[in-house]
């Protein structure tokens, strides 16, 4: 009983992103090879004590790792209980752990502007992929399904939300964009969480975000690049405007990639749209 009460007190006092300490610890061990597929993670109690976080934070981190397809968890007791590693992180995660930490110090407006450029490009690029090389969006869609879970707490929802945007970058196959998005992830989650206090109706906001996510994926699958770019721009800027109503940083229109012109069009007409700032 005393241990349970202590764990509850710890869970109440944890920092909003304490679960990320666990996530980064596991990711680092996977990248370094300390943990490999087929091995089991230490139990919740061991990770909690080793990393100085509440067991609720450990559970949140394990939930994200499972949705990302890195671990599989089994309830109960015995040799098959707990979390087993089933994959390792892709991309340049080892190089970006430093960027991920550094992103916490970036101005929020800069993070948002960077997202508008990178993610509009990603959405358009995915939509414009050749029919013979359509992107694999299964990881992104698994995250959307996880966000549909009833009773999901806002921090968990926003963690999955950030993972969804990273999954789109990974689906593009562009390693530089994927690396940059991975490095920005903690900064994205940070401003998203900080803005919760300015949201009057979380149920309505989360429902809207889920619809927007699905709409982005639908546009990509329909090979409608213009709509995909516009929807992801409106999605990112809409949430930021909701949590920062006085900000004018997103006053510019969404970035648009130039359409491919035929050879008869004069060269000066082929202009790239300006960046959104």
């Amino acid at each position: 009983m005393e241990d349970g009460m202590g764990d509850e007190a710890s869970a109440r006092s944890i920092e909003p992103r304490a679960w990320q300490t666990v996530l980064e610890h596991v990711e680092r061990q996977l990248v370094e090879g300390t943990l490999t597929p087929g091995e089991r993670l230490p139990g919740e109690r061991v990770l909690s004590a080793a990393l100085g976080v509440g067991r609720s934070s450990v559970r949140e981190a394990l939930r994200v790792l499972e949705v990302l397809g890195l671990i599989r968890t089994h309830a109960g007791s015995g040799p098959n209980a707990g979390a087993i590693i089933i994959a390792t992180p892709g991309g340049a995660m080892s190089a970006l752990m430093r960027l991920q930490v550094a992103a916490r110090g970036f101005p929020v407006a800069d993070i948002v502007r960077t997202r508008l450029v990178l993610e509009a490009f990603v959405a358009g690029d995915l939509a414009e992929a050749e029919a013979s090389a359509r992107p694999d969006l299964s990881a992104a869609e698994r995250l959307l399904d996880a966000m549909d879970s009833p009773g999901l707490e806002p921090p968990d929802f926003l963690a999955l939300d950030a993972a969804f945007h990273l999954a789109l970058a990974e689906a593009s196959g562009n390693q530089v964009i994927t690396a940059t998005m991975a490095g920005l992830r903690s900064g994205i989650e940070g401003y998203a969480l900080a803005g919760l206090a300015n949201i009057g109706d979380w149920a309505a906001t989360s429902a809207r975000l889920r619809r927007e996510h699905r709409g982005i994926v639908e546009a990509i699958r329909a090979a409608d690049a213009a709509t995909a770019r516009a929807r992801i721009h409106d999605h990112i800027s809409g949430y930021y405007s909701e949590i920062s109503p006085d900000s004018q940083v997103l006053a510019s229109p969404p970035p648009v990639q130039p359409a491919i012109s035929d050879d008869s069009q004069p060269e000066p007409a082929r202009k790239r749209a300006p960046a959104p700032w």
Side-chain angles (χ1 to χ4, degrees):
M1 177 67 69
E2 182 177 347
D3 179 74
M5 291 176 63
D7 185 61
E8 289 180 6
S10 176
R12 287 194 299 269
S13 64
I14 59 173
E15 293 296 323
R17 291 188 293 160
W19 64 271
Q20 192 163 358
T21 299
V22 185
L23 187 65
E24 292 176 350
H25 170 77
V26 174
E27 285 181 337
R28 185 167 54 251
Q29 289 196 314
L30 288 171
V31 169
E32 293 172 350
T34 307
L35 287 172
T36 58
E39 294 184 326
R40 294 187 178 277
L41 286 178
E44 287 182 8
R45 187 187 300 274
V46 174
L47 285 172
S48 174
L51 299 176
V53 300
R55 291 175 67 180
S56 62
S57 292
V58 174
R59 287 190 289 271
E60 289 171 11
L62 296 181
R63 187 179 302 122
V64 173
L65 288 167
E66 185 164 27
V67 170
L68 291 174
L70 299 180
I71 67 171
R72 180 174 293 122
T73 58
H74 299 275
S77 58
N80 294 323
I84 185 171
I85 305 296
I86 60 173
T88 55
M93 186 62 71
S94 58
L96 278 165
M97 293 304 292
R98 292 187 299 274
L99 283 179
Q100 193 172 21
V101 174
R104 295 177 179 138
F106 292 159
V108 171
D110 288 353
I111 295 175
V112 176
R113 286 167 171 151
T114 302
R115 292 187 68 191
L116 291 175
V117 174
L118 294 183
E119 298 198 49
F121 174 84
V122 165
D125 193 51
L126 291 172
E128 291 172 343
E130 296 290 339
S132 59
R134 298 302 297 165
D136 182 3
L137 300 178
S138 58
E141 290 179 322
R142 285 197 300 272
L143 288 159
L144 296 187
D145 291 341
M147 276 185 270
D148 287 338
S149 299
L152 196 64
E153 292 295 321
D156 297 341
F157 181 98
L158 294 173
L160 296 173
D161 189 320
F164 164 75
H165 287 272
L166 177 57
L168 290 182
E170 291 173 338
S172 76
N174 187 312
Q175 295 186 18
V176 175
I177 290 179
T178 299
T180 304
M181 286 297 297
L184 289 174
R185 186 174 65 185
S186 62
I188 293 169
E189 292 166 7
Y191 83 71
L193 277 169
L196 282 174
N198 295 327
I199 296 177
D201 186 346
W202 170 250
T205 294
S206 60
R208 188 194 79 241
L209 295 177
R210 288 195 297 271
R211 288 194 302 271
E212 292 172 355
H213 289 147
R214 298 285 183 184
I216 293 164
V217 172
E218 288 171 3
I220 291 171
R221 289 204 176 280
D224 186 344
T227 298
R229 287 192 291 265
R231 285 179 177 176
I232 205 160
H233 178 281
D234 291 347
H235 169 70
I236 295 169
S237 60
Y239 184 82
Y240 182 61
S241 296
E242 183 175 5
I243 64 174
S244 305
D246 297 329
S247 175
Q248 299 299 313
V249 71
L250 304 178
S252 299
V256 177
Q257 292 168 301
I260 298 176
S261 307
D262 64 45
D263 293 338
S264 63
Q265 186 176 13
E267 189 65 26
R270 301 178 186 177
K271 294 182 179 178
R272 184 176 298 276
W277 61 84

